[in-house]
Amino acid sequence: MRMTYWYEGPLAAFDTETTGVDVETDRIVSAALVVQDAPGVRPRVSRWLVNPGVPVPAGATEVHGLTDDHLQRNGRWPSPVMFEIAELLAEQAAAGRPLVVMNAPFDLTLLDRELRRHRASALGNWLDATPLRVLDPRVLDKHLDRYRKGRRTLTDLCAHYGVALADAHDAAADALAALEVVRALGRRFATRLERLSPAELHTLQTTWHAAQARGLQAWFARSGTPEVVDTSWPVRPELPAAA
């Protein structure tokens, strides 16, 4: 009987839309968790719409289409939403289901900060019994095909791996697309990935991301860009002055 590898089995995926790109100060305005038991099987989707309690900048609205008025009328308060998300992510960990998160240090760190802000508890507190096994298509792709030229946004990865992305910057659509990219990555690089478990890949990605971040930092230094690249993955440590 043919063995079923992890990329052909159950996967979950998580994505957020936000007020901006600063994990310490910006807020979640929508989120989605997608669970798929096998390739081609209809996924189960959980969605959240959040009234962040702060104004949504016009630039963010241009990206995801969510306005202050819409969120105030239809969004829920952050505290119960963050609790529900953390509970469902803990369920994925307990079930042994790998969690796909594109650019995990952004979404998971932002979720951690929202939990600290609204629940006075870090994301890790939900995962004491069983930690997440995260699969980050951005980290995986950069490691497995490191010399390929071009950008590596979710849209770029979908185009490269032949994955449909019908509604970019909708949290559920982005989560499902990231999940499909990881399945495509697994098939394309099967000889390098099939012997690794998701737990082993999680550990390896910590090292791979750190190396990728150091490389980007060196490029910034050569180009005179002052930006600092964090090497932490999949969640950045809390800053003492975090909002």
Side-chain angles (χ1 to χ4, degrees):
M1 180 179 289
R2 180 177 177 272
M3 181 183 294
T4 299
Y5 296 110
W6 60 263
Y7 49 84
E8 298 171 327
L11 292 176
F14 176 67
D15 189 71
T16 66
E17 296 300 328
T18 68
T19 60
V21 297
D22 188 329
V23 296
E24 303 298 341
T25 59
D26 280 306
R27 312 297 174 91
I28 293 172
V29 297
S30 71
L33 178 71
V34 173
V35 179
Q36 187 183 51
D37 293 326
V41 174
R42 184 172 182 173
R44 303 184 295 280
V45 181
S46 300
R47 304 172 189 263
W48 297 269
L49 192 66
V50 185
N51 178 353
V54 299
V56 180
T61 297
E62 287 177 9
V63 172
H64 49 59
L66 298 171
T67 64
D68 275 328
D69 181 66
H70 180 75
L71 293 170
Q72 288 169 11
R73 290 174 181 271
N74 302 288
R76 297 169 58 201
W77 289 115
S79 180
V81 170
M82 301 313 151
F83 177 84
E84 290 171 14
I85 293 173
E87 287 281 295
L88 281 181
L89 294 191
E91 285 183 20
Q92 307 315 306
R97 194 176 291 118
L99 182 70
V100 175
V101 189
M102 175 71 184
N103 192 17
F106 178 77
D107 292 84
L108 294 183
T109 302
L110 192 55
L111 174 60
D112 175 79
R113 303 312 192 254
E114 288 279 56
L115 286 165
R116 292 173 187 267
R117 184 178 290 122
H118 297 291
R119 305 293 308 192
S121 183
L123 176 60
N125 293 340
W126 270 267
L127 304 167
D128 283 340
T130 311
L132 288 173
R133 296 179 297 174
V134 178
L135 299 171
D136 188 333
R138 188 166 180 260
V139 174
L140 292 170
D141 176 69
K142 287 179 102 175
H143 178 78
L144 295 165
D145 198 1
R146 67 182 67 184
Y147 300 114
R148 189 177 81 249
K149 302 293 185 182
R151 290 157 49 86
R152 300 186 193 236
T153 66
L154 179 59
T155 301
D156 298 317
L157 295 187
C158 287
H160 182 72
Y161 289 100
V163 171
L165 179 55
D167 192 10
H169 299 296
D170 169 82
D174 285 357
L176 180 58
L179 186 152
E180 296 291 356
V181 166
V182 165
R183 291 201 190 280
L185 269 162
R187 291 188 292 266
R188 183 169 300 189
F189 297 101
T191 57
R192 298 168 64 183
L193 294 176
E194 61 191 16
R195 290 179 176 83
L196 295 169
S197 70
E200 291 170 323
L201 274 172
H202 180 104
T203 300
L204 286 169
Q205 285 169 100
T206 303
T207 302
W208 296 344
H209 176 271
Q212 293 163 7
R214 288 192 296 269
L216 181 57
Q217 189 71 75
W219 185 84
F220 281 158
R222 290 194 299 271
S223 62
T225 302
E227 185 174 345
V228 176
V229 184
D230 198 311
T231 60
S232 304
W233 185 95
V235 180
R236 298 175 189 170
E238 185 185 22
L239 295 177

